[in-house]
Structure formats: C-alpha cells, structure tokens
Amino acid sequence: PQITLRKSRNATIGSHTVVNSGDALGVFAFSGSNGSSYNDGALIQATVDGTPGVSDMPVRLDFFTTPDGSATPVLNLQIKNTGQVLVTALKTTGSATGKTVVCVDVATGQLYASTSGVACAN
C-alpha cells in the first residue's frame, strides 16, 4: 500500500504545470483538541527546495513540533535535498534567545554546531 500526494500548479485536475521552489507538496498534520477546538501539535511537510526540471524534483522534509505554552508549531528538524540534516535547538545567551543548528557532515557522518542558525557549512 502507498499514499501519494501530488501537486501541480495547474487548476485542471490531471494537468501539469511545474511547481516552484518553496511550494509545499504535502503536509501531515497531527492535531489535538484543547477542549474547544483543534490545535496542530506536529507537522511533517515536504517542500520543493530548488528548481524542478525533467527528472529533477529537489525536496526537503520539515518537521515541526509545538512547544509547551504555544499553539504554533515551529521547525525543529529539516532534511535538505542535499542530505544535510539540520536540528534546531533554542539556546539562551544572556537575556536574548537565539538558535543553534546541529549539522551532520554527510561525507564523514560527524556532527557539528552552526551558530549562524541558518544553514550548515557543508
């Protein structure tokens, strides 16, 4: 068995128009009742991550979770189309809150931290 989510930018079902970088190809949402409505607790989203072409569909997977005291899922783990795995963890420096990204070097398998909070170096 297989579940397939398909996206085209064409308004006619079954017709093809190329998707763009940044388009979500599909989302699995996990929601729970808060007593009066449903809130998303976690999301897994496949997003076009580059320029698609014939036999070329660069995609990343984004994993979101909702922190305690919030109703908004935040990105915590990302698998880029290059194979990079980015794990975002909040850190506190003095009174300011920033982000540190834990990276995996795909060539060596080694972990390292990127304090830029944006992307890994390799």
Side-chain angles (χ1 to χ4, degrees):
Q2 176 177 316
I3 297 172
T4 302
L5 304 176
R6 293 184 174 164
K7 172 157 179 112
S8 169
R9 288 187 147 256
N10 198 301
T12 303
I13 295 175
S15 297
H16 297 276
T17 300
V18 68
V19 292
N20 294 329
S21 186
D23 283 355
L25 296 183
V27 178
F28 285 99
F30 303 88
S31 302
S33 177
N34 63 13
S36 60
S37 64
Y38 287 98
N39 290 108
D40 288 337
L43 305 169
I44 301 172
Q45 178 173 305
T47 304
V48 180
D49 193 26
T51 304
V54 176
S55 299
D56 181 24
M57 186 56 61
V59 172
R60 71 174 185 262
L61 283 177
D62 296 327
F63 294 80
F64 299 80
T65 58
T66 303
D68 191 18
S70 175
T72 306
V74 295
L75 180 65
N76 284 300
L77 181 117
Q78 185 176 77
I79 303 172
K80 307 265 304 164
N81 71 50
T82 60
Q84 289 180 330
V85 177
L86 297 104
V87 179
T88 305
L90 291 177
K91 69 169 187 171
T92 303
T93 307
S95 61
T97 300
K99 290 194 174 201
T100 297
V101 177
V102 178
C103 305
V104 177
D105 184 319
V106 294
T108 65
Q110 294 180 331
L111 296 174
Y112 65 94
S114 171
T115 55
S116 69
V118 178
C120 296
N122 57 359

